[in-house]
């Protein structure tokens, strides 16, 4: 059986990949989908304390083990896996040889781990002066918090992103998932690509250090400048009110209850014309009141207007009110549950957003695709995450030239 | 070892994306992508209609005085760009656009499907003469799914693509929440940048450009972590919870108020033996052990060599130890300000966070020490304004931002360079 095809976009790029979890693995996932050869360096099987704790897991059918993590499978499609004990001298020698033959080194350990392992940038550069090294940590490699531990929820809290999600006079609602692991991964991948582009221009490698918390602060939007320019902080009475508030200001603008249990619709009237369309769909006396014809008028009665509109949305199934409003040209969507958007949305299925991959032990399973299509060198996601160390023979044998006997010896001593 | 070049200005000619020219058509959806290009050193020319792009009127405004050059939305998303005014409704404007596209590496646009085609300015027309050109389109549902195109906003896109369902409160009589900040735009823009850079890497080897089609709906859909994967992998629908991950079954709170009423978050609580030892010692230092009868669970956490979160709800003892660890942190947090608790817990090796507002984060000592906030000069206002900076550090990463351009500020300059 021939190997599945790879995208040609980045097929000339080899990545020595020390990342894990989503914040790092999500970055090299993107590069692998576009054809880069991503070699994951992982702790040997005997290591019980595994820093990428997503690797192992339990399947819905009860099967469990080191190769059964569902999130791991999603985040590591199209990659290779080798095992390597980085604390051993022989392990360090093998990593040195992998760095020699790679274009890129990626990692998202805590800030000072690479130096402790003996592979800080000066060392990487001495091994391979063309190397593009991209590091990703919660707080960056310098500053009072550089040793602090971080996961997505820590990044979101410390950057202000959790704060700006919620209702007035309520605790922060925050994020129900690690948004900044995604955004961090995307920006980390961008740094890898930018480093490769610069290397082509200058002939030199470089180190780019990425701070995920700083990326988060930069995603506050125009509200943050309202604080620094106008002295109007986000921590003030009535804030956040993140469903209703928006730049540009809109009313109505919010999430409204629909008929049924925990069923909701999102509606936004961009301007007075949208309002006129919505009012004609609702067609009740309050909606036809002239006082609501202008944004200023609607804003003056924003809370009351939201209650009246919600009384209307509550009488309809969410699909029905969305259908009526869309037909009139008003932006409206149901608050989609995972099954709505994954299994029942032609806008994702036609995009091929949920491709099937084959995983050697899990079997055939759906994963996330890529929200980009490229006309000449599109992404290909067909292979599930690699089983632990499955590419040891290829990487240590074919790429580094070790003999079969040497590989077996390293394995028997737990180096790989 | 110090990081590459923190604080020291770099030679602009060495900026990481120096040498790339991006021709951007001003938009809401892709403005952040253009900003990232510009901040990293690319030559970004943003094309606006006469009078300036609509987003110059979105607000808020400097001193609350509206004006196209006083809009903070525009400032936020258009740093490090140059503005050229062109009227694409005229032959002269279209011809000038073609001229600029003739020297660009990348065209970045977010027009509704069909709009540029009607001007005879879409990628098939322009790329026919310049196959090396990279053309990035950002639309609500992708050019490939143009038949589904309809009006959207950031709110409706986040609702349709899964963000809103996963965010909110334990009390489901409260609506699910759309986080503020324009994250549908941010997410789509991140992919616009990624797609463009991927295409440049490929072009640098082959000489061939391409069309990069970005769907905002798809971008947000693949950016909800467990909410998506748990459905794909286990057909499990996660439910929103206050200040923490959505989950199939209710999980312990992780976000509590500290002594100053501000919130801290303890997403992992205590897991390693070292964590349990640190918390127990901290309780003792604060003379809180008596107030905390469950302290013996912390000792059990030490004796067991830590606990695995995978055993939560499976192993009753692990569940009790883990729960006690979190309660210990809550008790300690109630004695400190939120920030003090965060710093002190982290110094003791406990992963946790403080819920800063964005401005508190920007001005916090860590980020100031790293020179992340950047002073940007606005000479026409006689003011220097603090902006969030660049989240990268390196020998080829710029350390300054240029303020967003005034309407058409660089029209003459840019066409002068062409002559």
């Amino acid at each position: 059986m021939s190997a599945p095809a790879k995208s040609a976009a980045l097929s000339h790029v080899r990545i020595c990949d020390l990342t894990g979890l989503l914040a790092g693995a999500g970055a090299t996932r993107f590069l692998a989908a576009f054809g880069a050869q991503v070699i994951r360096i992982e702790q040997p099987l005997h290591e019980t304390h595994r820093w990428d704790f997503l690797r192992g897991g339990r399947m819905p059918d009860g099967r469990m083990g080191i190769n059964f993590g569902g999130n791991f499978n999603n985040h590591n499609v199209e990659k290779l896996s080798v095992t390597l004990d980085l604390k051993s001298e022989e392990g360090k020698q093998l990593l040195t040889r992998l760095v020699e033959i790679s274009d890129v080194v990626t990692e998202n350990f805590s800030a000072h781990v690479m130096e402790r392992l003996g592979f800080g940038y000066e060392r990487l550069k001495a091994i391979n002066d063309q190397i593009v090294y991209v590091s990703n940590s919660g707080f960056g490699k310098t500053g009072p918090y550089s040793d602090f531990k971080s996961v997505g929820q820590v990044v979101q809290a410390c950057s202000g992103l959790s704060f700006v999600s919620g209702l007035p006079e309520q605790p922060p609602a925050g994020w129900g998932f690690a948004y900044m692991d995604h955004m961090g991964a995307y920006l980390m991948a961008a740094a890898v690509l930018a480093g490769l582009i610069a290397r082509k221009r200058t002939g030199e490698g470089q180190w780019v250090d990425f701070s995920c918390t700083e990326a988060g602060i930069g995603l506050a939007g125009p509200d943050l400048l309202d604080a620094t320019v106008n002295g109007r902080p986000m921590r003030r009475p009535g804030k956040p009110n993140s469903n209703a508030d928006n730049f540009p200001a809109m009313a109505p603008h919010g999430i409204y209850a629909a008929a049924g249990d925990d069923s909701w619709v999102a509606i936004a009237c961009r301007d007075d014309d949208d309002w006129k369309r919505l009012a004609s769909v609702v067609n009740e006396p309050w909606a036809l009141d002239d006082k609501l014809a202008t944004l200023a008028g609607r804003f003056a009665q924003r809370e009351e207007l939201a209650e009246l509109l919600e009384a209307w949305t509550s009488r309809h199934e969410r699909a029905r009110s969305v259908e009526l409003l869309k037909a009139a040209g008003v932006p409206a969507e149901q608050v989609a549950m995972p099954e709505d958007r994954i299994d029942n949305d032609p806008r994702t299925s036609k995009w091929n957003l949920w491709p099937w991959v084959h995983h050697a032990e899990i079997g055939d399973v759906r994963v996330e695709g890529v929200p980009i299509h490229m006309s000449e060198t599109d992404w290909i996601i067909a292979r599930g995450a690699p089983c632990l160390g499955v590419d040891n023979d290829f990487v240590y044998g074919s790429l580094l030239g070790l003999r079969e006997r040497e590989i077996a010896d390293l394995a028997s001593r737990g180096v790989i | 070892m110090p990081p590459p070049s923190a604080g020291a200005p770099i030679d602009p000619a060495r900026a990481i994306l120096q040498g790339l020219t991006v021709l951007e058509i001003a938009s809401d959806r892709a403005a952040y992508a253009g900003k990232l290009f510009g901040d990293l050193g690319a030559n970004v020319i943003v094309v606006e209609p006469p009078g300036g792009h609509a987003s110059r009127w979105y607000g808020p405004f400097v001193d609350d005085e509206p004006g196209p050059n006083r809009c903070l939305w525009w400032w936020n998303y258009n740093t490090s760009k140059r503005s050229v005014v062109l009227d694409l409704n005229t032959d002269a404007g279209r011809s000038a656009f073609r001229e600029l596209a003739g020297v660009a590496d990348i065209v970045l646009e977010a027009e509704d499907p069909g709009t540029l085609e009607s001007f005879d300015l879409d990628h098939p027309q322009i790329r026919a003469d310049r196959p090396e050109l990279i053309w990035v389109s950002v639309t609500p549902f992708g050019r490939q799914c143009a038949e589904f195109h309809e009006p959207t906003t950031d709110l409706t896109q986040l609702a349709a693509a899964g963000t809103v369902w996963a965010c909110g409160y334990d009390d489901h009589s409260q609506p699910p929440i759309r986080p503020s900040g324009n994250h549908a735009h941010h997410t789509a823009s991140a992919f616009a940048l990624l797609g463009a850079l991927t295409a440049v890497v490929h072009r640098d080897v082959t000489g061939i450009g391409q069309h990069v089609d970005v769907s905002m709906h798809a971008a947000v859909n693949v950016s909800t972590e467990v909410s998506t994967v748990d459905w794909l992998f286990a057909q499990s629908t996660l439910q929103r919870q206050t200040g923490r991950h959505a989950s199939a079954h209710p999980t312990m709170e992780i976000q509590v108020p500290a002594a100053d009423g501000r919130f801290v978050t303890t997403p992992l609580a205590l897991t390693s033996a070292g964590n349990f030892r640190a918390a127990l010692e901290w309780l003792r230092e604060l003379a809180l052990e008596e107030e905390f009868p469950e302290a013996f669970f912390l000792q059990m956490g030490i004796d067991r060599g830590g606990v695995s979160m995978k055993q939560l709800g499976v192993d009753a003892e692990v569940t009790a130890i883990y729960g006690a660890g979190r309660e210990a942190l809550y008790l300690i947090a109630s004695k400190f300000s939120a920030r003090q608790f965060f710093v002190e817990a982290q110094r003791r090796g406990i992963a946790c966070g403080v819920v800063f507002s964005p401005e508190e984060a920007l001005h916090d000592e860590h980020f100031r020490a790293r020179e992340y906030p950047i002073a940007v000069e606005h000479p026409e206002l006689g003011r220097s304004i603090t902006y969030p900076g660049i989240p990268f550090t390196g020998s080829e990463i710029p350390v300054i931002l240029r303020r967003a351009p005034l309407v058409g500020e660089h029209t003459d300059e840019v066409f002068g360079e062409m002559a």
Side-chain angles (χ1 to χ4, degrees):
Chain A
M1 195 176 72
S2 64
K6 302 277 282 181
S7 170
L10 304 174
S11 56
H12 59 294
V13 175
R14 177 178 292 145
I15 300 177
C16 176
D17 184 21
L18 295 147
T19 65
L21 304 171
L22 173 59
T28 52
R29 176 192 210 271
F30 178 91
L31 303 169
F34 281 102
Q37 185 182 65
V38 176
I39 303 171
R40 271 187 67 92
I41 314 292
E42 304 195 70
Q43 293 159 295
L45 186 60
H46 62 79
E47 286 275 355
T48 49
H49 184 74
R50 190 161 289 277
W51 89 271
D52 190 343
F53 55 77
L54 300 178
R55 193 180 223 299
R58 176 192 284 269
M59 294 277 294
D61 64 13
R63 288 180 293 159
M64 57 190 292
I66 197 69
N67 293 319
F68 287 101
N71 282 278
F72 181 89
N73 177 55
N74 184 72
H75 306 338
N76 292 284
V77 294
E78 294 291 336
K79 300 181 190 175
L80 308 179
S81 168
V82 300
T83 48
L84 193 55
D85 178 4
L86 294 176
K87 292 193 291 264
S88 72
E89 254 333 291
E90 284 172 293
K92 290 182 201 293
Q93 284 166 20
L94 285 171
L95 182 63
T96 300
R97 295 185 59 189
L98 284 169
V99 172
E100 277 171 357
I101 62 165
S102 294
D103 300 286
V104 176
V105 172
T106 45
E107 55 94 358
N108 63 316
F109 295 126
S110 295
H112 304 297
V113 169
M114 282 296 273
E115 280 157 39
R116 284 202 291 272
L117 288 170
F119 289 93
Y121 178 59
E122 292 306 319
R123 174 69 185 134
L124 294 173
K125 193 178 169 185
I127 298 167
N128 178 348
D129 65 4
Q130 296 278 299
I131 206 76
V132 172
Y133 168 43
V134 179
S135 49
N136 169 356
S137 59
F139 294 96
K141 296 248 194 238
T142 60
Y145 304 165
S146 63
D147 280 320
F148 286 9
K149 292 178 179 163
S150 134
V151 291
Q153 297 284 18
V154 168
V155 170
Q156 285 146 212
C158 295
S159 62
L161 287 173
S162 298
F163 183 88
V164 297
S165 172
L167 299 172
E169 324 314 328
Q170 298 270 352
W175 295 74
F177 53 91
Y179 174 61
M180 281 312 297
D181 283 1
H182 283 289
M183 288 302 284
Y186 306 152
L187 292 171
M188 182 186 191
V192 170
L193 294 163
L196 290 169
I197 292 165
R199 186 179 76 176
K200 180 80 180 173
R201 188 181 80 244
T202 65
E204 292 173 25
Q206 63 178 295
W207 172 21
V208 179
D209 184 40
F210 172 70
S211 158
C212 204
T213 320
E214 289 174 353
I217 298 172
L219 294 173
D223 281 302
L224 183 49
L225 289 184
D226 203 18
T228 66
V229 174
N230 293 324
R232 192 179 287 131
M234 280 297 280
R235 192 186 290 277
R236 67 182 197 267
K239 286 281 183 177
N241 191 6
S242 61
N243 285 350
D245 287 349
N246 196 66
F247 294 111
M250 299 183 197
H253 184 277
I255 308 289
Y256 306 94
D261 181 37
D262 207 9
S263 187
W264 306 87
V265 293
I267 300 171
C269 283
R270 294 162 295 170
D271 49 30
D272 296 344
D273 289 340
D274 272 350
W275 167 253
K276 236 182 276 172
R277 297 181 192 111
L278 181 142
S280 69
V281 170
V282 170
N283 199 28
E284 291 176 6
W286 63 269
L288 304 171
D289 186 339
D290 282 346
K291 287 205 289 287
L292 299 178
T294 64
L295 177 66
R298 293 191 298 279
F299 234 78
Q301 302 181 45
R302 190 164 74 146
E303 316 270 305
E304 191 190 354
L305 175 59
E307 282 172 26
L308 289 163
L309 181 56
E310 189 158 56
W312 180 80
T313 57
S314 300
R315 289 199 295 277
H316 299 279
E317 299 291 328
R318 58 184 183 154
R320 179 63 183 154
S321 50
V322 167
E323 182 191 355
L324 290 168
L325 292 169
K326 280 189 179 187
V330 178
E333 289 282 354
Q334 58 183 355
V335 173
M337 299 166 66
E339 49 269 52
D340 299 323
R341 59 192 176 83
I342 295 170
D343 289 350
N344 295 301
D345 186 346
R347 302 170 299 189
T348 63
S349 54
K350 193 189 169 203
W351 186 267
N352 187 28
L353 194 59
W354 317 110
W356 287 90
V357 297
H358 183 72
H359 182 285
E361 293 189 12
I362 293 172
D364 291 334
V365 59
R366 278 189 303 172
V367 296
E368 293 172 315
V370 179
I372 298 171
H373 282 303
M374 308 232 306
S375 62
E376 309 302 315
T377 57
D378 207 7
W379 52 275
I380 294 174
I381 292 180
R383 301 192 295 188
C387 291
L388 183 66
V390 70
D391 299 296
N392 281 355
D393 288 347
F394 168 70
V395 172
Y396 296 131
S398 303
L399 296 186
L400 295 188
L402 269 61
R403 296 198 190 88
E404 213 172 298
R405 193 157 17 99
E406 294 173 289
I407 296 171
D409 176 51
L410 289 166
S412 72
R413 290 184 293 110
V415 176
I416 65 174
Chain B
M1 184 175 58
S5 93
I10 65 156
D11 175 358
R14 284 192 62 85
I16 190 164
L17 292 183
Q18 195 276 329
L20 281 182
T21 294
V22 179
L23 180 62
E24 176 186 350
I25 302 179
S27 73
D28 303 354
R29 300 167 190 148
Y32 179 61
K35 168 193 162 62
L36 291 169
F37 268 111
D39 289 351
L40 293 174
N43 170 27
V44 180
I45 299 163
V46 62
V47 174
E48 303 187 73
H53 183 251
S55 63
R56 290 179 177 274
W57 298 97
Y58 287 175
F61 298 95
V62 183
D63 303 330
D64 296 331
E65 285 172 34
N69 294 323
R70 304 179 64 85
C71 177
L72 304 183
W73 171 293
W74 179 262
W75 288 14
N76 187 59
Y77 290 117
N78 293 280
T79 52
S80 312
K81 302 181 187 178
R82 295 192 290 168
S83 165
V84 163
V85 163
L86 292 180
D87 185 353
L88 298 182
N89 291 304
T90 67
D91 285 343
R94 291 195 285 267
S95 162
F97 184 85
R98 276 190 209 94
E99 200 182 331
L100 291 173
V103 298
D105 297 281
I106 297 161
V107 171
L108 173 65
E109 55 87 10
E111 298 298 308
D112 288 350
T115 304
L116 291 173
E117 195 180 2
S118 72
F119 291 143
D120 201 26
L121 286 182
D122 205 5
H123 66 93
Q125 289 102 32
I126 303 222
R127 289 196 60 245
D129 299 328
R130 285 199 74 217
E132 70 273 31
L133 181 63
I134 291 155
W135 187 292
V136 183
S137 303
V138 181
T139 54
F141 304 101
R143 292 278 198 108
Q144 175 167 312
C145 293
E147 71 269 32
F148 301 120
H149 182 76
E150 60 196 0
T152 62
T153 71
D154 186 72
L155 172 83
T156 64
Q157 294 229 252
L158 292 172
T163 301
V164 174
W165 173 259
C167 301
Y169 296 98
D170 295 331
D171 172 5
H172 281 203
S173 71
Q174 302 275 19
I177 299 293
R178 164 258 196 171
S180 70
N182 308 312
H183 297 290
H185 299 131
H186 295 159
T187 310
S189 280
F191 278 103
L193 175 71
L194 278 177
L197 294 177
T198 300
V200 173
V201 172
H202 178 256
R203 185 208 61 177
D204 280 353
V205 175
T206 61
I208 299 167
Q210 53 190 313
H211 181 235
V212 178
D213 182 7
V214 181
S215 158
M216 297 180 79
H217 186 58
V220 179
N221 255 285
V222 298
S223 302
T224 68
E225 202 216 356
V226 289
S227 199
T228 292
V229 176
D230 281 30
W231 180 260
L232 290 171
F233 196 68
Q235 284 71 58
S236 175
T237 302
L238 305 191
Q239 306 290 337
R240 65 189 183 275
Q241 310 189 96
T242 307
R244 62 198 189 280
H245 272 54
S247 177
H249 307 289
T251 58
M252 281 182 83
E253 279 196 289
I254 66 170
Q255 177 180 280
V256 291
D260 58 359
R262 298 185 177 188
F263 285 85
V264 297
T265 186
T266 60
L268 304 179
L270 309 175
T271 53
S272 68
N275 282 167
F276 284 101
R277 189 173 296 114
L280 190 56
E281 283 169 9
W282 199 1
L283 280 173
R284 286 174 180 156
E285 285 170 32
L286 297 169
L288 289 174
E289 206 179 350
E290 301 246 316
E291 263 185 65
F292 190 65
E294 297 86 358
F296 71 95
F297 277 120
L298 305 186
Q299 186 60 51
M300 286 172 73
I302 299 169
D303 296 343
R304 287 179 63 119
V307 294
S308 163
M309 289 177 76
K310 290 198 171 132
Q311 294 300 309
L312 291 181
V314 179
D315 179 319
E317 192 171 288
V318 166
T319 309
I321 293 170
Y322 185 79
R326 184 155 266 143
E327 295 293 341
L329 293 178
Y330 294 169
L331 175 62
I332 295 169
S334 72
K335 310 295 180 188
F336 290 93
S337 76
R339 184 176 175 280
Q340 280 173 333
F341 171 80
F342 157 67
V343 170
E344 189 56 35
Q346 282 276 11
R347 284 190 183 137
R348 292 167 188 260
I350 297 164
C352 64
V354 51
V355 181
F356 279 139
S357 68
E359 63 275 3
E360 289 158 4
L362 184 68
H363 297 302
D364 191 70
E365 69 165 18
H366 173 76
F367 303 105
R368 280 191 284 119
R370 290 173 50 79
E371 300 181 11
Y372 171 71
I374 295 181
V376 176
E377 297 303 320
H378 284 255
E380 68 290 342
L381 297 177
R383 288 177 71 171
S384 169
I385 307 282
T386 305
Y387 279 64
I390 298 172
F392 304 103
T393 311
S395 58
E396 298 175 34
I397 302 295
V399 294
I400 58 158
L401 302 176
R402 281 180 290 120
R403 66 141 173 77
L406 311 179
V407 180
E409 184 176 356
H410 305 94
T411 307
D412 293 343
E413 178 180 302
V414 166
F415 284 100
E417 289 165 8
M418 305 278 297

